[in-house]
Every structure is written in structure tokens, then in C-alpha cells.
């Protein structure tokens, strides 16, 4: 049962008038994540677009405490904060969130994250994935998908397929892993509520597909629509792993059936980073999606859920 | 040059506000972001689901607004001081009740096409 829009809480933890770009997907994700977690939250933040959001000088638009740290240390930093809270016996009521971008998770922060996951440190790790280093000027990261043009892959686009962080985190045996998209705030809200309930059970990993109008090259008003298209085409399945068991979330459930999946070309043609695509490039994407769902299908079958 | 007591007090105040790690949460941290806008959203009441039914039901504009500039009231009201004019609300409205019109009052945008 999906929560209704009118039942969502009214209290805001990000105030209007922020420094983010117009139509930023991160702001939707950040807003709904904080709404789900509530006021007793401490956010740890490495270098990313969300650091810029924190503001300069004496003012900030974010109502919960945010601590800034180095790019590679966000998971180590959050481990420390949660250990300190545990020592003060406040770890039940206060939740620690590490809020990093895809560069801080896939590339630079992966050693810290892997270490914290293995140590079973108690915090929620959020990776908002906009598929490149957007804050520093759209450089390629290992989350950038095949063929995407960035400022460091300017002519033919990226030649490699992106890393599968979901699988990497699954291999750590975490208690809760989920994927979200900014096009589905209700789904995102419920997943953060659930992650909070797993308090005391190690790292909970949540990945959010977050659109970026300047980086992806779509129209500003299509910021929400583009991530919806990503889910509808099957490229970004919304799913969660609860204590090792794979569950496909409601918005993505019908796309297990291949015939229900929409053409991925619609998603790709909205964005100027894929403007140069030929028929061969589209085929790589279609194969990628087919392989992704084949693997998920096998697993669901093994669990007896299909 | 000697520092008077007032100078020292002033420096302390500045250092407290700028160098201290504590920031105050405030609306409009980046100024009035409404001045960034080239297109302005306006609501057509006769098409809006919430206004027509008079009950709190749809509110997709409120849910999707990145800038938290749409209120969850009947009818939904835009906060033009901070709305950046991205147009996500107009794009997501199921009944096309929100229309984006060129912002003429904005001095940085004099053409009728909204800054093009």
C-alpha cells in the first residue's frame, strides 16, 4: 500500500531559497529523505552538490545538524558519530545519515563505505546518484552509464558500462539495501522510514537516481519525468533487499514482464548527453536492461516469488 | 593603530557569525531566488483537481516542487519570492492546471519568450 500524498507530513526540514539549480533532483530527494527521518537526524556530508546547499556564512537552509568532511571519509566519519551517540546512549532516538554523491560512493568513498559495512557501524548511507561529478563540472565517474557524454569523455561518450554498486553492497550482507528515484517521492519516503526502523542493524544503504538538468542535458521542467522514464524503461529498477531477501517495489513490479517495459530510447532521447547515439548504442542499452532483469528474474524464481 | 574596545567587539561578532561552525537555519539562504526565474507558474482554478473537489486530494505540485514554493492549501499558492520557475509543477500536473508564462517584470529577461 503506497502512502497517499495527503497523508505525507507537512513539516519541512529544508527551507526555500537554497543555492541549488532550478529543477534540481537532489533537492527533491533531500527534502523527502529528511521528512521521512524527522528532526532527530545528523547528516554527514562529503564534498558534493549537497555541500553547496548547506550555504556559506552564518546561514543554512537545512534545519537538521549537518557535518562536513573530506571526500573519502564520509563512512568513517558517520561511524564515529554513531559510536559517540552509542556511548552517550542516544543511538536509539537519533539517526545518523551519510549523504554522499556517486563520486563519493562509487569512486572515492568506497573503501570507507566497505570498511564501515563490514564493521556493522550503525548508520544510513545514502548515495544520490546523478551519474557524474556534477558539482565540479560534469566529469566522468564510475557511475556514469555507457555512452554518456561528460566533459572528460566529450566526443564518443563513456566507453564502459557503469559499476553495479547495488550488487557490491549486497555482497557485504547488509540488513537493508534499497534503490529509489526522484520521480517517486512516496516510495522514497517509505523506504527511508523502513531504513530508520532497522536502527542498530549495521549500515543501511539507499541509492537514489537523481536527475541533473545541466549535467544530463534535459529540459529543466522534465526533471521528474526523466527519472520516471528511467524506471518505466526498466533501466532503474526500484527494489529493496531486506535481510538478504530481494523485493521488487510496487512501481517497478509490472516491469518484470518484458512486454510491459517502455522503450529505453524515450529515456535516452530526452537527454543531450546521449544525443550522438546510433542504433548500436541503443542495442547496448537494451541488452544491459535485459541482462539486469534476467538476473533479477532468476533470483525471484529461486525465492519462489515469481 | 590601536584597537578600541568597540573594534574588538565588532571583530568578535563577525568571527562568531562567519568563522563559527554553527549556522542558523533561515529562509532565503541564497537570497530571493525568485529573481532567477524566467518563466512564472500560474494556476488555472477551473482545471485544478483540488479546487474543483474542494478536498485535499492531489497536491502533486506540492510534492514534486524542488524549491518548496507550493503550499498544500486549497487552492495551492505559489511563493513567488523563492520559486525558481523550473516548471516541474506544470509538467507533472495531471490536468494541466498550471501554466508557465514569461516573466516580464524580471529586468534580466526582456523578451516575450522567457529569456531565450
Amino acid at each position: 500500500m503506497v502512502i497517499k500524498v495527503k497523508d505525507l507530513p507537512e513539516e519541512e526540514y529544508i527551507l526555500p531559497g537554497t543555492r541549488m539549480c532550478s529543477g534540481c533532483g537532489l533537492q527533491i530527494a533531500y527534502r523527502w529523505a529528511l521528512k521521512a527521518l524527522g528532526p532527530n537526524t545528523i547528516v554527514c556530508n562529503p564534498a558534493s552538490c549537497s555541500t553547496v546547499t548547506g550555504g556559506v556564512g552564518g546561514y543554512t537552509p537545512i534545519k537538521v545538524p549537518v557535518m562536513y568532511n573530506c571526500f573519502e571519509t564520509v563512512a568513517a566519519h558517520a561511524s564515529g558519530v554513531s559510536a559517540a551517540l552509542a556511548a552517550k546512549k542516544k543511538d536509539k532516538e537519533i539517526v545518523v545519515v551519510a549523504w554522499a554523491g556517486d563520486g563519493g560512493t562509487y569512486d572515492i568513498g568506497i573503501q570507507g563505505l566497505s570498511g564501515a559495512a563490514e564493521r556493522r557501524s550503525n548508520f544510513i548511507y545514502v548515495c544520490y546518484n546523478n551519474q557524474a561529478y556534477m558539482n565540479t563540472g560534469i566529469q566522468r565517474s564510475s557511475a556514469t552509464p555507457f555512452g554518456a557524454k561528460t566533459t572528460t569523455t566529450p566526443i564518443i561518450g563513456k566507453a564502459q558500462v557503469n559499476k553495479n554498486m547495488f550488487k557490491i553492497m549486497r555482497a557485504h550482507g547488509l540488513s537493508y539495501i534499497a534503490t529509489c528515484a526522484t520521480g517517486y517521492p512516496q516510495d522514497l519516503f517509505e523506504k527511508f522510514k523502513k531504513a530508520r526502523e532497522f536502527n542498530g542493524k549495521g549500515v543501511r544503504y539507499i541509492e537514489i537516481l537523481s536527475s541533473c538538468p545541466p549535467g544530463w542535458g534535459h529540459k529543466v521542467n522534465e526533471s521528474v519525468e526523466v527519472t520516471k522514464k528511467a524506471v518505466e524503461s526498466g533501466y532503474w529498477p526500484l527494489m529493496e533487499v531486506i535481510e538478504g531477501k530481494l523485493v521488487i517495489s510496487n512501481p517497478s513490479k509490472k516491469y518484470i514482464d518484458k512486454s510491459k517495459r517502455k522503450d529505453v530510447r524515450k529515456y535516452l532521447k530526452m537527454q543531450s548527453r546521449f544525443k550522438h547515439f546510433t542504433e548500436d548504442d541503443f542495442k547496448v542499452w537494451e541488452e544491459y536492461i535485459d541482462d539486469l532483469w534476467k538476473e533479477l528474474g532468476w533470483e525471484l524464481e529461486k525465492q519462489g516469488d515469481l | 593603530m590601536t584597537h578600541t574596545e568597540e573594534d574588538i567587539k565588532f571583530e568578535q561578532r563577525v568571527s562568531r557569525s562567519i568563522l563559527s561552525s554553527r549556522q542558523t537555519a533561515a529562509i532565503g539562504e541564497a537570497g530571493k531566488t525568485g529573481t532567477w526565474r524566467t518563466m512564472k507558474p500560474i494556476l488555472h482554478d477551473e482545471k485544478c483537481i483540488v479546487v474543483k473537489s474542494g478536498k485535499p486530494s492531489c497536491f502533486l505540485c506540492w510534492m514534486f516542487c524542488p524549491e518548496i514554493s507550493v503550499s498544500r492549501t486549497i487552492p495551492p499558492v505559489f511563493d513567488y519570492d523563492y520559486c525558481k520557475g523550473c516548471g516541474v509543477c506544470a509538467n507533472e500536473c495531471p490536468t494541466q492546471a498550471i501554466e508557465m508564462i514569461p516573466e516580464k517584470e524580471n529586468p534580466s529577461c526582456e523578451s516575450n519568450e522567457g529569456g531565450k
Side-chain angles (χ1 to χ4, degrees):
Chain A
M1 186 64 199
V2 181
I3 188 167
K4 284 179 185 158
V5 182
K6 62 173 182 177
D7 298 332
L8 292 165
E10 189 116 29
E11 175 78 37
E12 300 286 353
Y13 297 98
I14 295 187
L15 297 167
T18 64
R19 238 154 247 278
M20 277 186 249
C21 305
S22 145
C24 182
L26 161 65
Q27 199 167 357
I28 303 175
Y30 212 168
R31 178 187 173 199
W32 286 100
L34 290 183
K35 265 170 174 268
L37 295 170
N40 290 336
T41 307
I42 297 174
V43 182
C44 301
N45 210 330
S48 64
C49 285
S50 48
T51 319
V52 181
T53 310
V56 293
Y59 299 102
T60 176
I62 301 163
K63 273 164 125 184
V64 298
V66 184
M67 295 169 85
Y68 301 112
N69 45 269
C70 299
F71 223 147
E72 64 279 20
T73 58
V74 61
H77 183 228
S79 305
V81 175
S82 73
L85 286 175
K88 287 199 152 194
K89 297 200 170 61
K90 284 186 176 168
D91 53 331
K92 290 261 170 2
E93 64 214 73
I94 300 174
V95 68
V96 182
V97 182
W99 187 278
D102 58 287
T105 308
Y106 280 62
D107 298 340
I108 301 171
I110 192 168
Q111 39 73 27
L113 173 58
S114 182
E118 189 266 333
R119 287 195 304 271
R120 298 284 184 268
S121 293
N122 181 27
F123 62 89
I124 302 173
Y125 192 99
V126 184
C127 165
Y128 73 92
N129 184 357
N130 46 27
Q131 305 190 325
Y133 290 86
M134 298 307 183
N135 188 31
T136 49
I138 321 167
Q139 287 90 3
R140 159 205 196 281
S141 78
S142 58
T144 308
F146 172 79
K149 269 190 190 174
T150 61
T151 49
T152 45
T153 54
I155 295 157
I156 53 165
K158 192 183 163 184
Q160 298 85 15
V161 174
N162 57 305
K163 212 185 254 182
N164 194 334
M165 199 66 189
F166 190 81
K167 268 189 184 167
I168 295 174
M169 291 324 289
R170 251 196 111 171
H172 286 78
L174 301 184
S175 57
Y176 186 76
I177 311 169
T179 56
C180 310
T182 49
Y184 299 86
Q186 288 140 298
D187 178 70
L188 191 147
F189 180 84
E190 285 184 336
K191 280 174 179 164
F192 272 86
K193 281 248 171 220
K194 218 177 264 180
R196 182 157 197 169
E197 280 165 24
F198 278 85
N199 200 1
K201 289 188 181 173
V203 174
R204 287 86 78 195
Y205 179 78
I206 298 180
E207 188 161 343
I208 309 167
L209 181 70
S210 157
S211 55
C212 174
W216 292 15
H218 58 78
K219 280 183 202 151
V220 182
N221 61 352
E222 288 169 346
S223 202
V224 166
E225 198 185 330
V226 71
T227 49
K228 275 188 183 168
K229 287 259 184 342
V231 173
E232 284 166 5
S233 66
Y235 165 63
W236 192 261
L238 300 180
M239 52 194 174
E240 43 194 353
V241 173
I242 304 166
E243 307 279 12
K245 193 170 182 284
L246 178 73
V247 183
I248 306 287
S249 311
N250 277 335
S252 267
K253 228 168 217 169
K254 62 180 170 187
Y255 305 120
I256 298 172
D257 183 0
K258 196 186 169 186
S259 60
K260 296 252 171 74
R261 266 175 248 157
K262 291 184 182 155
D263 197 350
V264 75
R265 284 173 179 76
K266 270 188 197 162
Y267 167 64
L268 299 173
K269 279 179 180 167
M270 279 172 93
Q271 305 168 45
S272 69
R273 59 177 179 159
F274 300 120
K275 221 179 199 171
H276 59 289
F277 263 29
T278 57
E279 209 44 48
D280 292 344
D281 296 323
F282 287 129
K283 283 224 172 77
V284 174
W285 270 74
E286 277 167 1
E287 273 167 28
Y288 173 84
I289 292 168
D290 283 348
D291 289 349
L292 189 80
W293 281 97
K294 216 182 269 172
E295 228 169 275
L296 292 176
W298 285 336
E299 186 155 357
L300 290 172
E301 213 165 346
K302 213 165 95 188
Q303 282 174 192
D305 289 344
L306 202 67
Chain B
M1 198 186 132
T2 50
H3 287 282
T4 60
E5 218 166 272
E6 253 176 51
D7 285 343
I8 293 165
K9 262 185 196 165
F10 175 74
E11 272 177 19
Q12 277 174 347
R13 205 168 64 233
V14 169
S15 63
R16 258 204 303 276
S17 67
I18 294 174
L19 299 175
S20 92
S21 59
R22 184 176 277 193
Q23 292 174 303
T24 325
I27 292 179
E29 186 273 320
K32 298 246 164 162
T33 49
T35 53
W36 300 12
R37 196 169 58 227
T38 56
M39 299 292 273
K40 182 181 184 177
I42 50 161
L43 182 76
H44 294 294
D45 282 358
E46 69 278 5
K47 286 188 196 164
C48 178
I49 294 174
V50 177
V51 176
K52 272 203 291 190
S53 68
K55 284 177 199 154
S57 50
C58 172
F59 292 130
L60 288 181
C61 46
W62 167 78
M63 186 171 81
F64 282 120
C65 179
E67 202 49 48
I68 317 138
S69 294
V70 187
S71 70
R72 197 167 70 168
T73 49
I74 306 171
V77 179
F78 299 106
D79 182 353
Y80 290 121
D81 279 352
Y82 299 108
C83 167
K84 289 171 184 164
C86 63
V88 166
C89 50
N91 203 43
E92 292 305 316
C93 182
T95 54
Q96 283 85 44
I98 300 169
E99 194 192 343
M100 299 301 286
I101 57 163
E103 182 75 74
K104 281 183 189 157
E105 284 171 24
N106 195 335
S108 64
C109 155
E110 277 157 23
S111 77
N112 286 338
E113 286 165 24
K116 274 202 170 173

